[in-house]
Amino acid sequence: MATATFRVWRGDAKGGKFQDFVMEVAPGMVVLDAIHEIQSSQANDLAVRWNCKAGKCGSCSAEINGMPKLMCMTRLSQLPLEKPITVEPMRSFPLVKDLVTDVSWNFRVKEQIKPFRPRKPDAPDGTWRMDQKDVDRVQEFRKCIECFLCQDVCHVLRNHHLYDQFIGPRFFVYAAALEMHPLDVEDRLKDLRKTQGIGFCNITKCCTKVCPESIHITDNAIIPLKERVVDQFYDPLKKLFRVFQGDK
Amino acid sequence: MAEYETHQHDVLVIGAGGAGLRAAIEASAAGVSVGVVTKSLLGKAHTVMAEGGIAAALANVDDRDNWKVHFADTMRGGQYLNNPRMAQLHAQEAPARVRELEAWGALFDRTQDGRILQRNFGGHKYPRLAHVGDRTGLEMIRTLQDHGIHQGIDVHMECTIVTLLKDGDRVAGAFGYDRERGRFKLFQAKAVVLATGGIGRAYKVTSNSWEYTGDGLALAYHAGATLMDMEFVQFHPTGMVWPPSVRGILVTEGVRGEGGILLNKDKRRFMFDDIPPLYKNQTADNPEEGWRYTQGDKNAKRPPELLTRDHVARCIVREVKEGRGSPHGGVFLDISWIKEKLPNAAEHIKKKLPSMYHQFKQLADIDITQEPMEVGPTVHYVMGGVRVDADTQMSDVPGLFAAGECGAGLHGANRLGGNSLSDLLVFGKRAGEYAACFAKEHSAVSVNPDEVEAAARQALEPFERESGEGPFQVQHDLQNMMQDWVGIVRREEELEKALSQIPVLWERWRKVSVGGNREYNPGWHTALDLRNLLTVSEAITRAALERKESRGAHFRDDYPAKDESFAKVHMTIRKGPDGEMRISREPASEIPADLQQIIEEMK
Ligand SMILES: Cc1cc2nc3c(=O)[nH]c(=O)nc-3n(C[C@H](O)[C@H](O)[C@H](O)COP(=O)(O)OP(=O)(O)OC[C@H]3O[C@@H](n4cnc5c(N)ncnc54)[C@H](O)[C@@H]3O)c2cc1C
Ligand code: SF4
Ligand code: SF4
Ligand code: FES
C-alpha cells in the first residue's frame, strides 16, 4: 500500500505551524479520512469540523494544497501523493484551532438580510401556484450548503478585509434566491447597494470556481443583482420616483 | 469550584435539526423565551442530509390520497406497534406543516399545474413525498433556519449538553460545554425539549454523522425517563459499499422510486422472488407493471424494490450470504437501464437525482446513468427512543419533552421513508407548543449547585487520568461489536456475547484518558459521547434479546417468525434504583375502534 505525507496546520489564534504526518492510504480515500485516521491514531486532539462526510452539510471546508475545498469530497487519487499534501484552515476567517475557523461572522451577516416575504396566497386554501421553470432558477441558489469556500476565496474579504461593508458571494447568492423567488415581494436592492457592498465585487469569478455545488455565483446571482441595482438606482424615471417617495 | 456561564430560558431546545428548529419556532411564537443548543453549526444537523422527501397526504398528484390512507400505510409499515394516536396526528397534520414551509420560503418541485409535486416511496400507497430533487432535507433545514433566525431565539452553536438537571421530579435545565473553548455552560429552563436525533454511530457501517451518538436518549434515561422500542433499528437497504472509505453513505430510495432495480450477480431481479403476504395485493405482478408505477400509472402496483426497508435489506443480506452478491459484498442497483424506456435517460437521471449522480461520480468513479451501483444495508434510523405522550410529546419526566428521531412511538417496528421529515415538523411543533404551555403554567425551578459541580468534575476526568487508552479505540471496538452481534440478523448467543462485553467496555471507558487541552478537542468530545453510545448500545442489546420473534426491523435468526404474544408488547427501559438498566414488557396502546376500521378498510 502507498503512503502519503500530510502537512497539517496545527495551532490556534496565537499562532501555529505545519506538522507532518505519514500514513498509509487505502483505495477511495478522501482527505477527511486521512485527517480522521491521524486523529484517531496519532493526534487525538487534532481539531476538524465535519458532519455528513457526503458533501451535503458544508462543514469540512479547508485549503488543500492551497485550494479551497471540502475535505470529504477531495479524493487522494486526485492529488499528487509524491509530495506532502498541505491541509490548512480557511484563511479568511479567524482561527479557532488547527483546521477549525470561526465562521460566526457569516451567521451575523445573514441576519441583516431582509427575510422572505411572500405575496398573498393564490388559492383560497392558502397555497400558491408556481411554474417549475420559475422555481428552477432559484433552486440553483438554494443548493448552497453554506460551506463558505466562496467567502474564503473572495479577495474583497481575504485581502481587503471589508467584513463591515461587504456581505460576500454566499450572501449575494442568498439575496438573489430571495429576490428571484417567485413569491417574494420584499425589496433588498437598496441594502445591497448601500450596506452590503455589491459594488465592491469586480466579477473576478473566483467564488464560482470553488463552489462545490457548482452554483454559477457570478453569472446567475451577482450580475443579475447588479443589473437590478443599476436599473433601480440609475434609471432616471425610477430615480425621480424615489425622490418623491423620500428614499435617498 | 467549576466555572461556568449561566443562561436562563423558559424553554430550552436541545438540537437544531428539523425537530428542534420547528419546536423552537413554535415555542417562541407562544411568547416564551427560547434557547437552542446544538453540537454543530446552525444548518448542519443531520436533517440536512435527508434526500427523498417529506411524506404528507397533500393529494396533489393522486387525488385518492388522504390522511386515512397515510395513517394506514404508516401503521402497516410499523407492524401495528405504532402509537395509533401519533400515527393519526401525524397523517392529519403533515399537509399543513408542509404548506407552512412553503409560506416560509421553501421551494418544492412543482406539478404541471404549479402545486407541490409528490413522489413515490417505499410503503406509501400513492405518490406522497414532497421533495426538492434529492436534497429535500437541505431545503427543509434552510427554510427553518432562515425563518428561525428572525424569531428572537437564542442559538448556542457548537455546544454539547452532557447532563440534564432536575429539581425534584421536574427537569430544571441542562449542563454542557462549548466545543470551541471547552468552557462549561449551565442552562436553566422550565421546560426542555430533546431533539437530538439518532444513534447510528453505535455501529460501524452507518449513514449517520458523528453527532448520532444517542445523546438525547441517554440524557433522558439518566434523568429517569423511559426508553421504548430500542430493538427496532432501521437498516437502510441501500448504502454505498465501495470504496471502503464511503461505506455506509446513503443511496436514496428515490433511485428506486424513479425506476431503479435491484439485481444480483446473475442479473436476476431477486426482489420478485420473495414478496411478503401483507403486501401481495399491493405489489406489481411483473417488471413492466412496476415500471409503469414509477412513471405515474395510477392503475399499476408498485415494484417489489419499493417494499419496506427491513424486507429489502434482508433480501439483500440473503443474496450476499448465498453467494450471489456483487464483487464488494453488496448487490447491484441499476437506474441506467431506463435508457431502454426513455429517450433522454441520462439527462433525466441527472435532473431527478443530481446528488446521487455527483456522489457516485466523485466518490466512486461511477456514472450512474451508464452503469449500476453497488449497494448494501447501512444503519440509518432508530424507531425507538424516549417514550412520550402522543399529543404533547412530554416524557415521563415532567417538563422534559422529546421530538423527532429521539422520540419513540410514531414508527412502531419500522419507519416508512419520508415519514421522518414529516414527524419532525408535526411533533416538533407540538413539542414546542406544549413545552411553552408547560413553562407558562409552572413556577420557576432551581438547580442544585452540587449536581452541577459533580457533572463538571465527571466531564473533566478523562484529562486527569495519566495513563489509559484513548477514546477512539473503545469507540471502534463498540462499533464493531454492535455491527457483528447486534446487527441486521440477530441470534441469542451473539446478543448474549454482546451483553457480556458491554460491562467490559464500560470499564474501559471509565479509564479512558485524553491529551491536549479543552479547546476544540475531538478526543475529549469522543470520550464524553461514549457514555451515551454505551448507554444506547446496552439498551438496544437488551431489548433485542428480550424480543424473541422477528418483526419489522428486528430480525432474529433463531425466531424467524412473528409471534402473536409479542404483537402488542413494547420493550421499555428504565434506570433502576442502583443505576442498573431495567427492561420490562408493557402492553401497547389499544387501537381505538374508528382507527381500527380505517386499517381494515385499507387492507
Ligand atoms: C442520509 C439520510 C437521508 C435521509 N433521508 C430522509 C428522507 O428522505 N426522508 C425522511 O423523512 N427522512 C430521511 N432521513 C431521516 C431523517 O433525516 C432524520 O431522521 C431526521 O433528520 C432527524 O431529525 P432530528 O431533528 O430528529 O435530528 P437532527 O437533524 O439529527 O438534529 C439533531 C440535533 O441535535 C443536536 N444534538 C445532538 N446531541 C446533542 C447534545 N448532546 N447537545 C447539544 N445538541 C445536540 C445536533 O447537533 C443537531 O443539531 C434520512 C437520514 C439520513 C441519514
Ligand atoms: S466575483 Fe465578486 S464576489 Fe466572487 S470572488 Fe470575485 S469579487 Fe468576490
Ligand atoms: S455558494 Fe457555493 S461556495 Fe458559496 S457557500 Fe454556497 S455552496 Fe459554498
Ligand atoms: S462533512 Fe459535510 S460537507 Fe464535508
Side-chain angles (χ1 to χ4, degrees), chain B residues 56-198:
Chain B
L58 296 160
N60 287 353
V61 171
D62 195 319
D63 55 16
R64 289 172 298 181
D65 203 10
N66 59 51
W67 78 264
K68 293 179 180 170
V69 192
H70 191 184
F71 164 78
D73 286 351
T74 302
M75 295 294 293
R76 187 186 307 109
Q79 309 266 341
Y80 306 104
L81 264 181
N82 326 55
N83 178 313
R85 174 72 180 155
M86 279 177 85
Q88 176 190 12
L89 290 171
H90 169 253
Q92 287 174 331
E93 294 176 6
R97 295 287 82 76
V98 171
R99 292 197 193 105
E100 187 172 71
L101 286 185
E102 183 151 284
W104 294 345
L107 276 175
F108 294 102
D109 288 353
R110 317 307 296 180
T111 60
Q112 288 291 342
D113 64 350
R115 294 184 296 166
I116 296 173
L117 181 62
Q118 298 180 272
R119 70 155 50 116
N120 287 314
F121 235 57
H124 292 282
K125 187 157 184 201
Y126 301 120
R128 190 176 284 146
L129 270 67
H131 61 278
V132 184
D134 52 9
R135 56 160 191 85
T136 314
L138 171 63
E139 189 68 16
M140 176 160 149
I141 200 164
R142 199 67 82 229
T143 302
L144 293 170
Q145 172 190 351
D146 295 350
H147 182 75
I149 57 174
H150 298 285
Q151 311 304 314
I153 300 162
D154 283 329
V155 182
H156 308 270
M157 293 200 281
E158 297 202 312
C159 176
T160 305
I161 298 300
V162 292
T163 189
L164 294 176
L165 302 164
K166 288 174 76 180
D167 182 353
D169 282 344
R170 263 178 76 186
V171 74
F175 184 73
Y177 63 89
D178 79 74
R179 299 170 70 79
E180 191 170 309
R181 300 268 167 258
R183 287 171 302 211
F184 289 128
K185 290 192 174 188
L186 169 65
F187 300 92
Q188 284 189 281
K190 290 199 240 174
V192 174
V193 179
L194 295 170
T196 54

Side-chain angles (χ1 to χ4, degrees), chain B residues 335-564:
Chain B
I335 180 83
S336 69
W337 79 276
I338 68 171
K339 56 181 176 264
E340 296 166 19
K341 298 280 185 185
L342 297 177
N344 52 351
E347 284 317 303
H348 179 80
I349 294 168
K350 283 188 217 168
K351 167 85 188 110
K352 287 288 180 183
L353 302 161
S355 7
M356 281 306 109
Y357 173 76
H358 252 101
Q359 189 171 308
F360 275 89
K361 192 94 191 137
Q362 259 178 299
L363 297 175
D365 292 322
I366 283 187
D367 178 351
I368 66 168
T369 68
Q370 301 304 325
E371 47 192 325
M373 305 158 237
E374 267 187 85
V375 296
T378 179
V379 173
H380 187 54
Y381 188 88
V382 61
M383 273 67 73
V386 182
R387 187 173 74 181
V388 291
D389 174 71
D391 287 76
T392 64
Q393 300 294 105
M394 191 160 89
S395 70
D396 296 349
V397 176
L400 181 64
F401 298 75
E405 189 167 343
C406 71
L410 171 61
H411 309 292
N414 185 34
R415 171 181 75 97
L416 298 186
N419 267 0
S420 168
L421 293 187
S422 43
D423 171 11
L424 311 183
L425 294 172
V426 169
F427 295 106
K429 174 183 182 286
R430 282 183 165 268
E433 182 181 335
Y434 287 97
C437 281
F438 186 95
K440 284 182 189 166
E441 284 164 7
H442 289 79
S443 55
V445 264
S446 56
V447 301
N448 176 351
D450 295 341
E451 239 183 287
V452 177
E453 204 57 41
R457 207 175 326 112
Q458 195 186 31
L460 292 177
E461 277 170 7
F463 285 113
E464 282 146 25
R465 298 182 194 121
E466 292 286 304
S467 61
E469 64 183 327
F472 291 99
Q473 196 50 48
V474 183
Q475 191 191 32
H476 290 174
D477 291 350
L478 174 67
Q479 289 166 336
N480 281 325
M481 180 196 87
M482 291 298 286
Q483 189 78 29
D484 294 345
W485 294 340
V486 197
I488 190 163
V489 174
R490 300 163 174 177
R491 55 184 80 78
E492 184 105 17
E493 318 84 76
E494 291 180 352
L495 291 168
E496 288 287 4
K497 270 201 279 188
L499 202 58
S500 66
Q501 271 306 301
I502 285 172
V504 179
L505 289 164
W506 271 115
E507 208 34 52
R508 283 171 64 188
W509 172 74
R510 280 188 199 98
K511 298 197 184 110
V512 156
S513 85
V514 298
N517 56 31
R518 281 160 69 174
E519 288 173 16
Y520 221 108
N521 185 339
W524 184 39
H525 305 161
T526 303
L528 298 179
D529 291 346
L530 255 176
R531 175 175 182 236
N532 304 324
L533 272 184
L534 280 160
T535 304
V536 294
S537 298
E538 181 171 345
I540 295 168
T541 310
R542 287 190 188 276
L545 200 52
E546 191 72 10
R547 187 174 284 280
K548 296 186 191 339
E549 65 153 356
S550 295
R551 183 178 299 273
H554 172 69
F555 187 80
R556 288 279 301 257
D557 217 13
D558 40 0
Y559 301 94
K562 277 188 216 168
D563 177 341
E564 265 313 294

Side-chain angles (χ1 to χ4, degrees), chain A residues 12-14 26-30 33 36 39-41 43-54 56-59 72-75 77-78 95-98 100-104 107 110-116 118 125-136 138-148 170 174 177 180-183 212-214, chain B residues 40-46 48-51 99 102-117 131-135 138-139 142-143 145-146 149-150 157-158 179-181 201 207-211 242-246 249-250 351 355-356 358-365 470-473 476 513-517 519-524:
Chain A
D12 55 26
K14 294 187 268 320
M29 246 185 169
V30 294
D33 290 317
H36 280 159
Q39 195 181 61
S40 82
S41 58
N44 278 189
D45 63 342
L46 173 62
V48 57
R49 190 184 267 136
W50 69 286
N51 268 46
C52 67
K53 201 173 172 291
K56 294 189 160 75
C57 73
S59 302
C72 71
M73 295 303 276
T74 306
R75 289 181 65 184
S77 57
Q78 299 156 345
L95 186 62
V96 171
K97 190 180 153 196
D98 303 338
V100 176
T101 49
D102 176 359
V103 291
S104 58
F107 291 89
K110 193 183 230 182
E111 286 175 23
Q112 293 158 18
I113 297 169
K114 286 187 195 152
F116 175 66
D125 65 352
T127 59
W128 287 271
R129 301 290 176 269
M130 286 179 258
D131 259 0
Q132 182 65 43
K133 68 173 186 330
D134 297 330
V135 166
D136 275 342
V138 183
Q139 281 182 339
E140 179 192 2
F141 305 140
R142 294 185 64 92
K143 286 194 304 188
C144 170
I145 55 173
E146 301 201 326
C147 64
F148 307 129
R170 156 59 190 138
Y174 178 66
M180 298 180 202
H181 193 299
L183 305 183
E213 287 293 311
S214 310
Chain B
S40 43
L41 298 172
L42 203 52
K44 311 294 182 193
H46 216 73
V48 80
M49 294 171 75
E51 296 166 350
R99 292 197 193 105
E102 183 151 284
W104 294 345
L107 276 175
F108 294 102
D109 288 353
R110 317 307 296 180
T111 60
Q112 288 291 342
D113 64 350
R115 294 184 296 166
I116 296 173
L117 181 62
H131 61 278
V132 184
D134 52 9
R135 56 160 191 85
L138 171 63
E139 189 68 16
R142 199 67 82 229
T143 302
Q145 172 190 351
D146 295 350
I149 57 174
H150 298 285
M157 293 200 281
E158 297 202 312
R179 299 170 70 79
E180 191 170 309
R181 300 268 167 258
R201 286 278 146 184
S207 64
N208 294 174
S209 78
W210 66 268
E211 292 196 310
W242 188 260
S245 83
V246 299
I249 295 183
L250 194 75
K351 167 85 188 110
S355 7
M356 281 306 109
H358 252 101
Q359 189 171 308
F360 275 89
K361 192 94 191 137
Q362 259 178 299
L363 297 175
D365 292 322
F472 291 99
Q473 196 50 48
H476 290 174
S513 85
V514 298
N517 56 31
E519 288 173 16
Y520 221 108
N521 185 339
W524 184 39

